[in-house]
């Protein structure tokens, strides 16, 4: 029951912890970009394909090189995020800081497991509904904070003037109000006319 209560957005630190986790998500994306650049700069796929052929075998060397070439960002980001989500709360606790993480995927799984363990009748519908609302806030804060930080870095990197930076969020909000589904569904592929014989 304490696990379910910990997702209450109004009676716990869930919103703050979710925002903090958004910062960790952003940091992991920086690590992902750095690792991919490092792999490309050091030309690791080519090195593995040519120099490790004798040790690994040609087929295995090609697979590892292909993996590094196409999946290095995802691999680096996932390892970094796992480390941050697992170790930052431990370090914070060691220094006496009451920091926790609230990741949308992990929190959804924890809530589902907790409800299936004690049952809805064990905690009451009120606590369950509050926890579900908390999960919604967690997703919003995770994506919102990490996206906002990434956007700030991108705008600064492109030297976008400060005035234009301030108008961008309102332009995105207006577009969201007019076309909300485009933020949740992928764009449709344009239909390519088929050649007739």
């Amino acid at each position: 029951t304490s696990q379910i209560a910990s997702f209450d957005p109004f009676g716990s630190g869930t919103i703050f912890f979710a925002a903090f986790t958004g910062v960790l998500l952003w940091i992991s994306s920086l690590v992902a970009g750095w690792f991919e650049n490092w792999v490309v700069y050091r030309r690791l796929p080519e090195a593995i394909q040519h120099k490790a052929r004798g040790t690994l075998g040609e087929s295995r060397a090609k697979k590892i090189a292909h993996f590094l070439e196409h999946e290095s960002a995802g691999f680096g980001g996932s390892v970094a995020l796992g480390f941050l989500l697992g170790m930052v709360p431990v370090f914070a606790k060691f220094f006496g800081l009451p920091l926790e993480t609230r990741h949308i995927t992990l929190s959804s799984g924890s809530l589902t497991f907790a409800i299936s363990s004690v049952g809805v009748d064990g905690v009451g519908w009120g606590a369950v509904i509050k926890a579900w609302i908390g999960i919604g806030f967690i997703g919003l804060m995770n994506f919102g904070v990490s996206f906002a930080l990434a956007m700030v870095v991108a705008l600064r990197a492109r030297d976008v003037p400060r005035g234009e930076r301030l108008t961008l969020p309102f332009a995105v909000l207006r577009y969201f109000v007019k076309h909300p589904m485009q933020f949740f569904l992928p764009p449709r592929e344009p239909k390519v006319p088929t050649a007739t014989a």
Side-chain angles (χ1 to χ4, degrees), residues 135-160:
I135 293 293
F137 274 110
I138 289 169
L140 187 65
M141 296 307 288
N142 283 176
F143 293 116
V145 170
S146 60
F147 177 79
L149 290 170
M151 182 65 76
V152 167
V153 171
L155 292 174
R156 287 181 64 117
R158 302 287 295 181
D159 286 328
V160 176

Side-chain angles (χ1 to χ4, degrees), residues 4-158:
I4 296 170
S6 71
F7 295 119
D8 181 351
F10 313 110
S12 69
T14 285
I15 293 176
F16 172 77
F17 295 145
F20 174 67
T21 305
V23 175
L24 299 183
L25 286 163
W26 171 69
I27 292 171
S28 72
S29 72
L30 294 181
V31 174
W34 170 83
F35 185 66
E36 184 176 31
N37 288 340
W38 185 81
V39 165
V40 170
Y41 179 72
R42 296 288 179 184
R43 301 178 67 184
L44 282 187
E46 294 93 332
I48 289 171
Q49 220 166 348
H50 293 98
K51 293 187 178 179
R53 246 187 326 204
T55 310
L56 299 172
E58 190 168 347
S59 171
R60 191 172 296 159
K62 271 186 181 178
K63 282 180 184 175
I64 294 172
H66 183 270
F67 173 81
L68 275 175
E69 190 175 352
H70 294 91
E71 309 294 338
S72 55
F75 177 75
S78 297
V79 170
L81 182 59
F83 179 80
L84 290 169
L85 291 177
M87 296 306 295
V88 167
V90 175
F91 279 113
K93 194 171 185 180
F94 178 77
F95 289 107
L97 299 172
L99 278 178
E100 297 177 25
T101 56
R102 293 285 189 276
H103 186 273
I104 180 66
T105 307
L106 299 176
S107 297
S108 300
S110 296
L111 178 61
T112 303
F113 184 71
I115 292 172
S116 65
S117 296
V118 297
V120 175
D121 295 332
V123 289
W125 275 105
V128 171
I129 290 170
K130 283 179 186 175
W132 283 342
I133 293 170
I135 293 293
F137 274 110
I138 289 169
L140 187 65
M141 296 307 288
N142 283 176
F143 293 116
V145 170
S146 60
F147 177 79
L149 290 170
M151 182 65 76
V152 167
V153 171
L155 292 174
R156 287 181 64 117
R158 302 287 295 181

